[in-house]
Amino acid sequence: MRSLFTLLLITLLWTSIRAQEAYLSLNVDDSQPTISKHIYGHFSEHLGRCVYDGFWVDENMDVQKKDRIRLDVVEALKKINIPNLRWPGGCFADEYHWRDGIGQRAERPNMVNTHWGMGVEDNSFGTHEFLELCDLLGTEPYIAANVGSGTVKEMNDWIEYVNYNGESTLAKLRAENGHPEPYNVAFWGIGNESWGCGGNMTVEYFADVYKRYATYAKSYPGAPIKRIASGANSADYHWTEVMMKEARRHMWGISVHYYTIPTGDWGAKGSATSFTEAEYFNTMKNCLFMDELLDKHIAIMDRYDPEKKVALAVDEWGIWTDAEPGTNSSFLYQQNSLRDALIAATQLNSFNNRADRIRMANLAQTVNVLQALILTDKEKMLLTPTYHVFDLYQVHQDAQLIPFSISTPDFVNGDKKLPAVNVSASLDQDGKVHITLVNIDPNKSITIKSAVNGIDWKKVSGKVLTSGKVTDINKFDQPEIVKPTVFNGAKKTKDGLSVELPARSVVMLELE
Ligand code: AHR
């Protein structure tokens, strides 16, 4: 009887140990798509303290600046190679009139930012300032044109002003304002959330509006443009269906916006820093819904465009919590925890794995707003856990996707469960393989046994981002609580690769 009990105990223990094993098979294959670097794009809106008091600061602030652009922020972003920056919104884009933001700053009109707190916007940061910022960052601009309260002519003029290389009145005005050379901006968004803050249109109506605008969004000689249609709100598949049916020939891409709301309730989204394990589980469930959402939008696109000419641009994504207590709730300032890093890493894996269709994505928003990479407090600046994910993942930019199959244990909470491990992998131009692994289970480490087929490799090295708790954050007086360190938990075995993936971690491995 006693020995039967011992056997049962050993079997149970063994099962639970084995249950924490994942199996991963990677298959390097030349036919795979490139992971566009533009999946690693960002978004900066005239909202709260993103542009003003984020990138663009008071001339008396005691930090290094070019004009009023804060250079410590620029330097930090340059290190992670941000490929594009979307501007000026968001909802703000559909009330922005570009002529207000050019010429002598003292003469620029003051406007009210009606979407984001009714504050006065002095237009000191306009087209030239944005394009100067992009130049300093070494990043491609992505300009969202005003459809909601603008006109076709206004958009058409803006593109000519920015891109025309000739003797037109608008090109001369650009030269008078300090930039004789055309800027050659390729990415132009036509509308933003045209189903909501961008005009509350039905898609049947918007499809025609879009085509009218797209017709006059001109490519000038030497400056071909990529038109991106305002796309669906989250799981509004009908929007994608109608736009693909009616307007696909007029677009480089179509967008979709999806935010992870911890509670799933826009009225009470949940705290950025204080949450239970059950709340954490729910947040990760909402984050993983992105996979279903993308697959359904992509399936619709595939029906109309089997050759995958039209890109899906996830040009707003990220976790959206309640604003930090004590801050202006319209400014959407939120802290950023290890949970946010796990979300960013998971979503970037999802985008990479759909690189044949997803060719752009933009995290909302770069500095001081929503899931920010950088937070500032007067002269101080800190890098968030999310920043470090973009640092680890930059190896995937423009690398070739590696397909895989995986079996993973679950992250269990009560009677609910989610896949604990997610992954993406790529082969870079130097022949190095990079694997990014996420373990969303907050308590259990997981052993991964992996076969890497189709390539010879000799050594593995890596970095890990983790911390004691999923609620851990970086603070202005302790800015390095969550930061990447060297990872020694991976080794080459006779069967392939073995990895001890810590609980609540993001790991980036390099095989060469
Ligand atoms: O990113 C904040 C807001 O979210 C954007 O302005 C809008 O497009 C979306 O609803």
Side-chain angles (χ1 to χ4, degrees):
M1 190 64 188
R2 205 166 165 186
S3 62
L4 198 67
F5 179 73
T6 316
L7 191 68
L8 189 69
L9 202 71
I10 291 171
T11 315
L12 278 174
L13 249 168
W14 178 238
T15 317
S16 89
I17 291 167
R18 281 190 58 84
Q20 291 315 306
E21 277 195 359
Y23 299 91
L24 174 67
S25 172
L26 296 149
N27 299 294
V28 176
D29 161 6
D30 276 351
S31 67
Q32 291 301 310
T34 297
I35 297 172
S36 170
K37 65 179 180 179
H38 290 294
I39 283 178
Y40 291 83
H42 293 276
F43 172 33
S44 55
E45 181 167 10
H46 289 226
L47 191 182
R49 295 174 49 242
C50 182
V51 170
Y52 295 99
D53 201 29
F55 282 117
W56 185 251
V57 294
D58 192 279
E59 44 211 8
N60 298 318
M61 187 182 278
D62 189 16
V63 287
Q64 275 219 309
K65 300 182 284 294
K66 170 105 192 276
D67 194 351
R68 287 171 55 191
I69 297 172
R70 195 174 166 154
L71 292 179
D72 52 354
V73 169
V74 167
E75 285 313 312
L77 293 173
K78 274 175 83 167
K79 285 195 188 130
I80 58 169
N81 273 318
I82 79 167
N84 70 69
L85 187 62
R86 179 171 180 251
W87 171 87
C91 295
F92 182 79
D94 280 297
E95 64 178 9
Y96 182 65
H97 301 282
W98 68 272
R99 283 174 197 270
D100 294 348
I102 58 168
Q104 292 298 316
R105 285 191 198 136
E107 285 160 28
R108 297 184 193 177
N110 286 345
M111 68 176 284
V112 183
N113 188 335
T114 61
H115 273 292
W116 303 116
M118 295 282 175
V120 170
E121 147 83 53
D122 69 3
N123 275 304
S124 57
F125 189 88
T127 302
H128 288 262
E129 290 79 10
F130 170 65
L131 293 169
E132 169 73 8
L133 169 64
C134 289
D135 196 41
L136 291 170
L137 289 167
T139 199
E140 272 198 58
Y142 168 16
I143 296 182
N146 180 342
V147 169
S149 70
T151 63
V152 173
K153 176 167 167 45
E154 185 183 356
M155 178 205 63
N156 177 295
D157 284 353
W158 199 4
I159 300 173
E160 181 186 325
Y161 179 85
V162 169
N163 280 355
Y164 184 58
N165 187 10
E167 293 294 307
S168 77
T169 304
L170 283 168
K172 283 187 193 153
L173 183 60
R174 182 188 69 230
E176 279 163 34
N177 287 331
H179 210 276
E181 296 301 316
Y183 286 105
N184 297 342
V185 172
F187 292 121
W188 289 85
I190 299 190
N192 170 74
E193 299 195 349
S194 302
W195 40 264
C197 63
N200 281 307
M201 295 177 236
T202 63
V203 66
E204 286 76 12
Y205 177 72
F206 178 68
D208 278 348
V209 171
Y210 172 78
K211 281 186 278 186
R212 194 158 67 92
Y213 274 76
T215 305
Y216 299 98
K218 299 286 184 192
S219 284
Y220 291 97
I225 68 166
K226 294 174 173 156
R227 301 170 190 84
I228 299 168
S230 172
N233 175 15
S234 178
D236 180 357
Y237 305 113
H238 178 65
W239 188 281
T240 302
E241 176 88 38
V242 175
M243 289 299 289
M244 287 302 290
K245 183 164 179 238
E246 302 295 339
R248 66 182 178 280
R249 290 189 187 84
H250 304 269
M251 58 178 77
W252 172 83
I254 183 165
S255 76
V256 60
H257 290 179
Y258 177 69
Y259 285 99
T260 297
I261 310 296
T263 59
D265 173 2
W266 283 91
K269 300 179 207 65
S271 165
T273 51
S274 166
F275 45 86
T276 62
E277 189 165 318
E279 285 162 345
Y280 168 74
F281 181 93
N282 211 32
T283 308
M284 298 317 291
K285 180 168 153 263
N286 293 339
C287 161
L288 287 166
F289 176 67
M290 179 73 96
D291 287 340
E292 175 184 330
L293 176 103
L294 294 174
D295 287 342
K296 288 187 172 165
H297 284 291
I298 289 171
I300 295 165
M301 295 179 78
D302 286 350
R303 271 197 281 114
Y304 290 99
D305 172 34
E307 290 172 349
K308 296 188 186 284
K309 289 186 184 148
V310 179
L312 183 60
V314 192
D315 62 11
E316 286 187 32
W317 66 273
I319 178 171
W320 190 329
T321 69
D322 293 335
E324 173 102 340
T327 63
N328 183 333
S329 61
S330 302
F331 285 8
L332 311 185
Y333 178 87
Q334 64 192 45
Q335 247 293 358
N336 195 286
S337 67
L338 178 63
R339 175 180 68 174
D340 298 43
L342 298 169
I343 290 173
T346 298
Q347 310 255 268
L348 290 169
N349 279 344
S350 296
F351 302 156
N352 288 346
N353 290 327
R354 293 165 178 80
D356 57 344
R357 182 63 84 177
I358 300 179
R359 298 199 274 278
M360 173 178 269
N362 303 76
L363 177 66
Q365 299 191 6
T366 330
V367 189
N368 293 331
V369 168
L370 298 178
Q371 189 170 354
L373 299 177
I374 291 176
L375 300 177
T376 65
D377 177 15
K378 303 193 182 69
E379 285 80 10
K380 290 188 211 143
M381 177 193 103
L382 69 76
L383 306 177
T384 65
T386 299
Y387 171 94
H388 294 304
V389 171
F390 277 81
D391 188 7
L392 295 181
Y393 274 58
Q394 58 176 302
V395 290
H396 289 309
Q397 291 191 22
D398 284 340
Q400 188 182 46
L401 182 69
I402 300 179
F404 63 86
S405 59
I406 187 168
S407 89
T408 161
D410 292 320
F411 161 30
V412 179
N413 186 260
D415 57 355
K416 293 178 285 184
K417 55 188 187 177
L418 293 170
V421 178
N422 64 78
V423 61
S424 70
S426 66
L427 177 68
D428 76 7
Q429 296 197 336
D430 299 329
K432 290 181 187 159
V433 169
H434 294 104
I435 309 170
T436 45
L437 294 152
V438 186
N439 179 6
I440 66 169
D441 192 313
N443 307 310
K444 292 182 182 160
S445 64
I446 292 171
T447 304
I448 300 186
K449 304 275 183 215
S450 176
V452 186
N453 306 311
I455 194 150
D456 280 335
W457 58 282
K458 295 193 172 40
K459 66 167 191 176
V460 55
S461 57
K463 287 190 180 158
V464 59
L465 185 69
T466 186
S467 191
K469 301 188 293 305
V470 283
T471 48
D472 281 351
I473 58 174
N474 290 336
K475 307 172 192 168
F476 289 102
D477 55 355
Q478 286 174 285
E480 299 201 337
I481 293 175
V482 189
K483 67 164 189 181
T485 53
V486 171
F487 181 65
N488 295 315
K491 57 178 188 287
K492 189 169 163 82
T493 64
K494 65 176 176 23
D495 303 318
L497 173 69
S498 172
V499 187
E500 285 302 318
L501 190 61
R504 54 185 184 283
S505 72
V506 180
V507 164
M508 189 280 293
L509 298 176
E510 181 170 280
L511 275 51
E512 54 186 317

Coordinates of all heavy atoms in Angstrom, one line a residue, residues 36-42 77 80-85 137-142 187 360-362 390 397-398:
S36 N 9.5 42.8 -41.8 CA 9.7 44.2 -42.1 C 10.2 44.9 -40.9 O 9.6 44.8 -39.8 CB 8.5 44.9 -42.7 OG 8.7 46.3 -42.7
K37 N 11.2 45.8 -41.0 CA 11.6 46.6 -39.8 C 10.5 47.5 -39.4 O 10.5 47.9 -38.2 CB 12.9 47.4 -40.2 CG 12.7 48.4 -41.2 CD 13.9 49.2 -41.5 CE 13.7 50.3 -42.6 NZ 14.8 51.1 -42.9
H38 N 9.6 47.8 -40.3 CA 8.5 48.7 -39.9 C 7.5 48.1 -38.9 O 6.7 48.9 -38.4 CB 7.8 49.2 -41.2 CG 8.7 50.2 -41.9 ND1 9.2 51.4 -41.4 CD2 9.4 50.0 -43.1 CE1 10.0 51.9 -42.3 NE2 10.1 51.1 -43.3
I39 N 7.6 46.8 -38.6 CA 6.8 46.3 -37.5 C 7.3 46.9 -36.2 O 6.5 46.9 -35.2 CB 7.0 44.7 -37.5 CG1 6.2 44.1 -38.6 CG2 6.7 44.1 -36.2 CD1 6.3 42.6 -38.8
Y40 N 8.5 47.4 -36.2 CA 9.1 48.0 -34.9 C 8.8 49.5 -34.9 O 9.6 50.2 -34.2 CB 10.5 47.6 -34.8 CG 10.6 46.1 -34.6 CD1 10.5 45.1 -35.6 CD2 10.5 45.6 -33.3 CE1 10.4 43.8 -35.4 CE2 10.4 44.2 -33.0 CZ 10.4 43.3 -34.1 OH 10.3 42.0 -33.8
G41 N 7.8 50.0 -35.5 CA 7.5 51.4 -35.6 C 6.8 52.0 -34.3 O 6.4 51.2 -33.4
H42 N 6.8 53.3 -34.2 CA 6.3 54.0 -33.0 C 5.3 55.1 -33.4 O 5.1 55.4 -34.6 CB 7.4 54.4 -32.1 CG 8.1 53.3 -31.6 ND1 7.7 52.6 -30.4 CD2 9.2 52.6 -32.0 CE1 8.5 51.6 -30.2 NE2 9.4 51.5 -31.2
L77 N 16.4 56.5 -28.3 CA 15.6 55.8 -29.3 C 16.5 55.4 -30.5 O 16.2 54.4 -31.2 CB 14.5 56.8 -29.8 CG 13.4 57.0 -28.8 CD1 12.4 58.1 -29.3 CD2 12.6 55.8 -28.4
I80 N 17.8 51.8 -30.3 CA 16.9 50.7 -30.6 C 16.4 50.7 -32.1 O 15.6 50.0 -32.4 CB 15.7 50.5 -29.6 CG1 14.9 51.8 -29.6 CG2 16.2 50.2 -28.2 CD1 13.6 51.6 -28.9
N81 N 17.0 51.6 -32.8 CA 16.8 51.7 -34.3 C 15.3 51.8 -34.6 O 14.7 50.9 -35.3 CB 17.3 50.4 -34.9 CG 18.7 50.5 -35.3 OD1 19.1 51.6 -35.8 ND2 19.5 49.5 -35.0
I82 N 14.6 52.8 -34.1 CA 13.2 52.9 -34.5 C 13.1 53.2 -36.0 O 13.7 54.1 -36.5 CB 12.4 53.8 -33.5 CG1 12.5 55.3 -33.9 CG2 12.8 53.6 -32.1 CD1 11.5 56.1 -33.2
P83 N 12.3 52.4 -36.7 CA 12.3 52.5 -38.2 C 11.3 53.5 -38.7 O 11.5 54.0 -39.8 CB 11.8 51.1 -38.6 CG 11.0 50.6 -37.5 CD 11.5 51.2 -36.2
N84 N 10.3 53.8 -38.0 CA 9.3 54.9 -38.4 C 8.6 55.5 -37.2 O 8.6 54.8 -36.1 CB 8.3 54.3 -39.4 CG 7.3 53.4 -38.8 OD1 6.5 53.8 -38.0 ND2 7.4 52.1 -39.1
L85 N 8.1 56.7 -37.4 CA 7.4 57.4 -36.4 C 6.1 58.0 -37.0 O 6.2 58.7 -37.9 CB 8.3 58.5 -35.8 CG 7.8 59.2 -34.5 CD1 7.6 58.2 -33.3 CD2 8.8 60.3 -34.1
L137 N 16.5 61.1 -35.5 CA 16.3 59.7 -35.0 C 16.8 58.7 -36.1 O 17.0 57.6 -35.8 CB 14.9 59.5 -34.8 CG 14.2 60.1 -33.6 CD1 12.7 60.0 -33.6 CD2 14.7 59.4 -32.3
G138 N 17.0 59.2 -37.3 CA 17.3 58.3 -38.5 C 16.1 57.4 -38.7 O 16.3 56.2 -39.0
T139 N 14.9 58.0 -38.6 CA 13.7 57.1 -38.8 C 12.9 57.7 -39.9 O 13.0 58.9 -40.3 CB 13.0 57.1 -37.5 OG1 12.1 56.0 -37.5 CG2 12.1 58.3 -37.2
E140 N 12.0 56.8 -40.5 CA 11.1 57.3 -41.6 C 9.9 57.9 -41.0 O 9.2 57.3 -40.1 CB 10.7 56.1 -42.4 CG 11.7 55.8 -43.5 CD 11.0 55.0 -44.6 OE1 10.0 55.3 -45.2 OE2 11.6 53.9 -44.9
P141 N 9.5 59.1 -41.5 CA 8.2 59.6 -41.0 C 7.0 58.9 -41.6 O 7.1 58.4 -42.7 CB 8.3 61.1 -41.5 CG 9.4 61.1 -42.5 CD 10.2 59.9 -42.4
Y142 N 6.0 58.9 -40.8 CA 4.7 58.4 -41.2 C 3.6 59.4 -40.8 O 3.3 59.6 -39.6 CB 4.4 57.0 -40.6 CG 3.0 56.4 -40.7 CD1 2.1 56.9 -41.6 CD2 2.7 55.3 -39.8 CE1 0.8 56.3 -41.6 CE2 1.4 54.8 -39.9 CZ 0.5 55.3 -40.8 OH -0.8 54.7 -40.9
F187 N 5.3 57.3 -46.2 CA 4.1 56.8 -45.6 C 3.1 57.9 -45.3 O 3.4 58.8 -44.5 CB 4.5 56.1 -44.2 CG 5.3 54.8 -44.4 CD1 6.6 54.7 -43.9 CD2 4.8 53.8 -45.1 CE1 7.3 53.6 -44.0 CE2 5.5 52.6 -45.3 CZ 6.8 52.5 -44.7
M360 N 3.8 46.6 -41.0 CA 4.0 47.8 -40.2 C 3.2 47.7 -38.9 O 2.1 47.0 -38.9 CB 3.5 49.1 -41.0 CG 3.5 50.3 -40.1 SD 3.0 51.8 -41.0 CE 4.5 52.4 -41.6
A361 N 3.8 48.2 -37.9 CA 3.0 48.3 -36.6 C 3.6 49.5 -35.8 O 4.8 49.8 -36.0 CB 3.2 47.0 -35.8
N362 N 2.8 50.1 -35.0 CA 3.2 51.3 -34.2 C 2.7 51.2 -32.8 O 1.5 51.2 -32.6 CB 2.7 52.5 -34.9 CG 3.1 52.6 -36.4 OD1 2.5 51.9 -37.2 ND2 4.1 53.4 -36.6
F390 N 12.0 46.3 -27.1 CA 12.4 46.7 -28.4 C 13.9 46.7 -28.6 O 14.3 46.4 -29.8 CB 11.8 48.1 -28.7 CG 10.4 48.1 -29.1 CD1 9.4 48.0 -28.1 CD2 10.0 48.2 -30.4 CE1 8.0 48.0 -28.5 CE2 8.7 48.2 -30.8 CZ 7.7 48.0 -29.8
Q397 N 14.7 42.9 -37.1 CA 14.3 43.9 -38.2 C 14.9 43.5 -39.5 O 16.2 43.4 -39.6 CB 14.8 45.3 -37.8 CG 14.0 45.9 -36.6 CD 14.3 47.4 -36.4 OE1 14.8 48.1 -37.3 NE2 14.1 47.9 -35.2
D398 N 14.1 43.3 -40.5 CA 14.5 43.0 -41.9 C 15.3 41.6 -41.9 O 16.0 41.4 -42.9 CB 15.4 44.1 -42.5 CG 14.5 45.2 -42.9 OD1 13.3 45.0 -43.1 OD2 15.0 46.3 -43.1

